[in-house]
Amino acid sequence: MTTIIEGIAERIGDISYSDLPREAVHWAKAAILDTVGVTLAGAAEPCTQILARVLSAGADRSEGECLIFGTDRRAAPLDAALINGTAAHALDFDDVGNSMGGHPSAPIVPALFALGEIFDSTGREFIAAYVAGFETEARIGRGVNLHHYEKGWHPTATLGVFGAAAACCHLMGLDRAKTAQALAIAASLSSGVKANFGTMTKPLHVGHAARNGLFAAQLAREGFTANDAALEHKQGFLRVFNGVGTFDADAILADWGRPYDIVSPGIGIKTHPCCGSTHPAVDAMLALRAEHSIVPDKVARIESWTHPRRLAHTDRPDPQTGLDAKFSVQYCLARALLGGRIVLEDFEGEAFRDPTARALMRRIHAAPFPATPEGDGEPLGAELRITFDDGGTVAKRVERALGRGTGNPLPEEKLHAKFANCAGRVLAAAHVERLQQALSRLDEVGSLRDLVAAMAPTASR
């Protein structure tokens, strides 16, 4: 009898660039561009810097085969995947996906770039491998969510490790048997709990997922063994991580690639550098601010409603760090009203202690919408009501934040502006533009090594 992992491995092997729908290629390139941008910006974050020091990455530039993004240092492939994977999620500005219940690209892209440097892969090979990884983690997500998410696992890591392993197997051209072994190994390397949200350990989850996915693929390539039934076994991933009766194993293989998950429901590219669960409320605030020219000093009370699943980790009225503030709907709403936008600087240093923002936060009250049946789909909306000193009110409901899914895409000019802002933190402006153009034409790139070299500051000079 064919196991679930064997079924996944067979489907991974059937993916080729030439057979990908145009929409899948389009969204893959957009996601990869976005991930490179936020990884470059995340390279200077304290969590990335600490990790690099502990690993002693690049003490000698001649050591290591793979670039640490945004630096001139190099490291061994597994260390590069770990550091760059952590940087990709350090700002919580990377893309999101509904099926996975997390951030689909951050675990995959850093692992693929490390491997792509070793093999000097082409852009088309990279894109096909990325789609294979995305589909794998999304389909497993369809089988385990939303119980998996609500139980406290961090799906970006626990499922992302399968996506990274699948993508690396595809890029290396492993056969179905070895791909299955890699996925089975990945089942024992899966980890990450939501208790660590709002700390440096959350992006570390993602770095480990990238590293462990690459590690699993490399081990399988050399003949390392694992149990192909590691998902459905009575002591396997599905029962241990979820529990009996809380998953749908059939959903993992059903309708694979029809359409590809990256096409529908698709990715969500973030417009704000904070937790995606705050974005609908932030969008509602920005819309109200634009429509009514709101004066913050005249606001008596702000009420915010989001789904209980999203409020569980965003109801933080007194954030204690910049990372914590990224998960505070109160802080994010205050910043949106005060500044008319949310920027990376709002979470740097002691910005979260800003007295004006803190004073406004005391008037912001977050509450849950009543729970909706799971059959209604993943709830992505929010509603705000602002009451003024004179008793007047204005209200706004947003069903889905801008950029959340291919049905409500981030306009291309906003995607490119985001990339320029992020990459511009470590690269010169003219070089940022050249890199953006190269990534936008990834399907024409003949050498990943040349592309990765352009992500180092020395290339900018």
Side-chain angles (χ1 to χ4, degrees):
M1 181 178 177
T2 300
T3 67
I4 297 173
I5 278 177
E6 288 172 330
I8 296 173
E10 180 180 1
R11 287 159 175 78
I12 290 170
D14 289 340
I15 293 175
S16 67
Y17 178 86
S18 60
D19 292 333
L20 289 177
R22 181 179 61 184
E23 294 86 353
V25 173
H26 168 80
W27 287 113
K29 290 195 295 182
I32 294 164
L33 170 73
D34 185 62
T35 306
V36 170
V38 298
T39 304
L40 288 167
E45 287 298 294
C47 60
T48 310
Q49 295 293 305
I50 291 170
L51 181 58
R53 287 200 303 270
V54 169
L55 293 172
S56 298
D60 181 342
R61 287 189 189 178
S62 65
E63 293 179 358
E65 302 166 89
C66 303
L67 183 73
I68 306 302
F69 282 24
T71 76
D72 298 316
R73 303 190 303 275
R74 291 188 168 270
L78 294 176
D79 285 350
L82 174 56
I83 296 168
N84 291 335
T86 301
H89 196 54
L91 296 167
D92 219 297
F93 208 4
D94 47 311
D95 63 27
V96 292
N98 292 351
S99 298
M100 183 189 189
H103 303 255
S105 296
I108 298 174
V109 172
L112 278 182
F113 269 115
L115 191 60
E117 276 202 271
I118 297 170
F119 286 90
D120 199 20
S121 306
T122 68
R124 292 188 175 191
E125 291 167 342
F126 192 102
I127 290 169
Y130 169 83
V131 173
F134 192 109
E135 190 74 4
T136 297
E137 63 192 15
R139 295 293 169 164
I140 296 175
R142 292 189 186 193
V144 301
N145 280 326
L146 291 157
H147 181 83
H148 186 82
Y149 181 91
E150 292 184 327
K151 190 173 183 178
W153 296 115
H154 182 194
T156 307
T158 56
L159 307 184
V161 67
F162 293 104
C168 290
C169 287
H170 194 284
L171 195 63
M172 288 194 289
L174 298 192
D175 63 25
R176 293 171 184 176
K178 288 189 174 180
T179 299
Q181 292 294 280
L183 294 171
I185 295 168
S188 281
L189 301 180
S190 174
S191 63
V193 293
K194 287 166 65 179
N196 275 317
F197 278 21
T199 74
M200 293 182 184
T201 300
K202 184 175 188 269
L204 180 64
H205 292 169
V206 183
H208 262 290
R211 178 205 183 272
N212 287 342
L214 173 57
F215 188 37
Q218 289 177 320
L219 289 173
R221 182 172 181 251
E222 298 302 316
F224 213 85
T225 63
N227 183 359
D228 288 349
L231 291 186
E232 66 265 42
H233 189 277
K234 64 181 181 181
Q235 293 182 320
F237 181 88
L238 295 175
R239 285 173 171 79
V240 172
F241 277 66
N242 268 54
V244 176
T246 66
F247 58 84
D248 181 1
D250 292 339
I252 297 174
L253 297 177
D255 298 322
W256 182 282
R258 302 195 303 272
Y260 282 106
D261 200 276
I262 196 171
V263 174
S264 180
I267 59 169
I269 295 179
K270 285 188 170 185
T271 55
H272 316 298
C274 49
C275 177
S277 294
T278 70
H279 285 203
V282 168
D283 280 5
M285 177 63 80
L286 293 175
L288 285 173
R289 188 181 189 275
E291 293 167 7
H292 300 282
S293 301
I294 296 169
V295 177
D297 288 345
K298 296 186 180 298
V299 171
R301 180 181 177 90
I302 298 172
E303 294 166 284
S304 170
W305 294 276
T306 51
H307 190 273
R309 184 181 301 125
R310 302 193 173 279
L311 189 62
H313 54 271
T314 58
D315 185 9
R316 303 186 184 212
D318 185 25
Q320 295 301 303
T321 66
L323 285 172
D324 199 20
K326 285 177 175 281
F327 290 84
S328 168
V329 69
Q330 293 90 344
Y331 180 77
C332 293
L333 286 173
R335 283 298 187 187
L337 178 54
L338 291 170
R341 60 177 184 163
I342 297 180
V343 294
L344 292 167
E345 290 77 8
D346 290 332
F347 305 97
E348 294 179 344
E350 296 293 302
F352 71 96
R353 299 190 189 277
D354 176 70
T356 304
R358 286 281 176 168
L360 182 57
M361 288 168 63
R362 290 192 284 273
R363 288 171 269 160
I364 300 175
H365 305 272
F369 278 133
T372 54
E374 297 301 337
D376 290 348
E378 176 67 356
L380 300 170
E383 185 171 346
L384 287 186
R385 181 169 63 212
I386 300 176
T387 302
F388 298 99
D389 290 341
D390 62 4
T393 63
V394 293
K396 188 78 173 182
R397 183 181 177 97
V398 170
E399 297 297 340
R400 185 181 294 259
L402 177 65
R404 186 71 189 232
T406 51
N408 186 30
L410 189 68
E412 187 176 83
E413 63 273 15
K414 288 185 177 291
L415 172 62
H416 291 171
K418 176 185 173 181
F419 179 83
N421 177 258
C422 288
R425 293 186 150 223
V426 292
L427 303 178
H431 185 65
V432 168
E433 175 65 19
R434 291 194 295 270
L435 179 59
Q436 179 259 305
Q437 291 177 1
L439 288 164
S440 297
R441 298 193 299 268
L442 182 58
D443 47 341
E444 302 172 19
V445 169
S447 169
L448 255 292
R449 288 177 185 166
D450 291 344
L451 181 62
V452 172
M455 299 175 195
T458 48
S460 178
R461 294 193 294 272

